[in-house]
Amino acid sequence: MAHVPESVELFVCESCQVTHAGTPIHVEAGQHTFEAPDACGSCGEADFVELSDWVHYHD
């Protein structure tokens, strides 16, 4: 069986819309979850939306 690489979850800053790669959190052998960063590297805000939810996001 071929190895299938995990896809990194992306997060969009609600304030400036810069996209960040999630931080991988090891949950079990070969499995990870991803968390948004503590703060946006561009504007410093701390509110993020998962990229997959961005099209459904409303203020």
Side-chain angles (χ1 to χ4, degrees):
M1 176 183 259
H3 174 74
V4 178
E6 291 182 76
S7 295
V8 174
E9 290 183 34
L10 299 175
F11 297 88
V12 180
C13 175
E14 290 181 12
S15 180
C16 69
Q17 300 182 5
V18 168
T19 303
H20 296 271
T23 302
I25 306 298
H26 181 79
V27 291
E28 61 181 63
Q31 298 293 315
H32 296 87
T33 59
F34 294 87
E35 293 182 353
D38 292 332
C40 177
S42 181
C43 71
E45 294 295 322
D47 295 318
F48 294 89
V49 175
E50 287 186 41
L51 182 61
S52 60
D53 294 332
W54 183 248
V55 297
H56 306 289
Y57 173 75
H58 299 283
D59 278 337

